[in-house]
Amino acid sequence: MATKSETHPAEALAEARRKAGELRTQLAGLENDLAQALEAKDYRAAENAQTAANGMRPAVLLAEAQVAAYEAATKALSEHQERENAAALQQEKQERAEAARAEAMAGERDAHAEARKHLEAAQKAVEEAGAALRRAFAAEARETGFRQEIHRIEVEAGWVEPAAFGVGSAQTVQPVIDLSPVLTAIRRSGA
């Protein structure tokens, strides 16, 4: 945790650049004084400017080295932060993907269970339709039986002559089945 006396690296870099700039300006001034003194052939002033410039150079070099160090540190911190941010974004992306995948997998399981439920209901409905068709044929057979009974009673009562080819069978169920591919398939399946 940063304390009140600590400086942010960017602020420290700015301060180091400012200080190095001031020192370079001072050194340039001393070198300018040296050049003017040599031009004027004032060797005493030139020696004083040379001594002052030589004394100033280590401070300038140290300030420039400090600027380079702060620049390197700032760059390294920035790259480190970028890597941390990228890692955090990747982690967040992975977590979102895992959550979305878990949700999709739950949806898949639910849809599969629902499909199985509807398939079972359809199979049951086909079985019930098959049973209904068998009951329809049984009722149709009873209808034919009752037609024959009616004809026999009418013949015995003398109301009609016996049918030369017998009484016709009821034709209620099969014509309807023949018109329906679904009922035909159910009838053929034996459901």
Side-chain angles (χ1 to χ4, degrees):
M1 171 168 24
T3 62
K4 195 171 190 178
S5 64
E6 290 180 355
T7 306
H8 189 274
E11 293 171 0
L13 175 59
E15 178 60 25
R17 283 179 175 159
R18 186 194 59 74
K19 184 177 177 184
E22 287 176 1
L23 290 174
R24 276 192 300 274
T25 300
Q26 289 175 10
L27 178 60
L30 291 173
E31 289 173 341
N32 187 42
D33 291 347
L34 172 63
Q36 287 178 359
L38 288 174
E39 193 176 308
K41 298 189 188 228
D42 184 353
Y43 298 110
R44 186 160 185 75
E47 185 180 338
N48 288 340
Q50 179 71 37
T51 301
N54 288 343
M56 174 77 54
R57 278 192 185 89
V60 170
L61 292 173
L62 184 60
E64 288 176 346
Q66 192 174 22
V67 167
Y70 276 125
E71 286 174 343
T74 301
K75 181 180 177 188
L77 285 171
S78 176
E79 290 171 353
H80 175 74
Q81 187 63 46
E82 287 174 8
R83 284 190 304 274
E84 281 187 349
N85 289 346
L89 287 174
Q90 182 62 24
Q91 177 67 26
E92 182 181 331
K93 180 180 176 183
Q94 291 297 317
E95 289 171 2
R96 281 195 315 266
E98 286 175 13
R101 183 173 135 212
E103 185 176 332
M105 288 174 77
E108 178 190 29
R109 280 189 306 273
D110 292 347
H112 179 77
E114 183 179 353
R116 295 291 303 173
K117 181 180 99 176
H118 291 304
L119 182 59
E120 289 170 8
Q123 288 172 328
K124 185 177 179 182
V126 168
E127 290 169 6
E128 289 174 358
L133 287 177
R134 286 188 297 278
R135 288 190 303 272
F137 278 112
E140 186 179 65
R142 287 193 315 276
E143 178 184 3
T144 299
F146 284 119
R147 277 186 182 181
Q148 291 171 350
E149 178 68 14
I150 293 167
H151 183 68
R152 185 190 60 76
I153 293 169
E154 289 176 343
V155 168
E156 287 178 4
W159 298 337
V160 293
E161 291 293 319
F165 299 104
V167 178
S169 297
Q171 293 294 316
T172 307
V173 178
Q174 192 60 49
V176 173
I177 291 174
D178 291 341
L179 294 174
S180 170
V182 173
L183 292 178
T184 301
I186 291 171
R187 174 84 168 132
R188 286 184 184 153
S189 74

